[in-house]
Amino acid sequence: MLNKIFLMGRLVADPEAKQTPSGVPVTTFRIAVDRDFKNKQTGEKEADFVTIVAWRATAEFVARYFTKGRMAVVEGRLQIRPYTDRDGNKRSATEVVAENIYFGDSKRDGDGGSSYGGYSPAGSSPSQPSPYDAPVPAGDQFTELDDDDGELPF
């Protein structure tokens, strides 16, 4: 079975960081994800508002570096969790459990963080530079081929 989801959207509010009774960090936030098409009656694009839940180090990363308005790229799995409300009614919550979260905007576009950095529990930490941030050497990076006979090699 496969349960994998990728979303890119802007945080609609600051993330809410908490800890479980056993001390495990958990951060919840919502992102607005634009739809690819416009509403036929209004002519405007609509958005879906998706709840994201991050655990442990990923939760701490989100709580520290993301704020309302920042663009986030979320990789995770869809979860539908049943619960009982205060009145005793059975309900369900649909949310994405984040596995990896990345910045979807640059430092100039948002209010902090680094360009396209992110946190992956098995990957690099957010303090390590992204390969997209590597400096470009000055000068011409191309060289002439000496043995070019005009023929294609295949």
Side-chain angles (χ1 to χ4, degrees):
M1 301 289 172
L2 178 65
N3 183 355
K4 194 72 153 176
I5 190 166
F6 292 88
L7 296 169
M8 182 172 174
R10 294 203 180 271
L11 275 73
V12 298
D14 289 339
E16 185 178 328
K18 295 181 180 179
Q19 285 190 349
T20 64
S22 61
V24 177
V26 59
T27 299
T28 304
F29 61 99
R30 293 181 69 208
I31 60 173
V33 180
D34 288 338
R35 293 183 180 172
D36 290 337
F37 52 89
K38 294 182 179 181
N39 183 310
K40 289 181 182 179
Q41 285 127 4
T42 65
E44 294 187 18
K45 278 193 169 185
E46 294 180 349
D48 293 304
F49 296 87
V50 182
T51 301
I52 312 292
V53 179
W55 292 90
R56 296 175 182 76
T58 307
E60 292 172 340
F61 171 72
V62 171
R64 182 171 181 185
Y65 294 107
F66 283 85
T67 56
K68 178 181 178 179
R70 285 301 305 258
M71 181 75 72
V73 178
V74 178
E75 174 187 356
R77 63 181 171 83
L78 187 64
Q79 173 176 281
I80 302 171
R81 181 177 44 86
Y83 69 96
T84 305
D85 67 11
R86 292 180 183 170
D87 299 327
N89 299 319
K90 293 189 182 222
R91 306 255 183 203
S92 64
T94 302
E95 56 201 12
V96 172
V97 178
E99 295 168 3
N100 301 309
I101 300 175
Y102 308 94
F103 292 110
D105 55 6
S106 69
K107 189 174 184 179
R108 291 180 299 278
D109 294 339
D111 293 326
S114 66
S115 300
Y116 304 104
Y119 182 79
S120 172
S124 62
S125 69
S127 62
Q128 292 179 338
S130 168
Y132 300 110
D133 295 334
V136 178
D140 188 9
Q141 299 298 313
F142 297 99
T143 59
E144 290 291 325
L145 296 176
D146 294 332
D147 61 345
D148 185 15
D149 60 2
E151 295 288 320
L152 294 176
F154 49 88

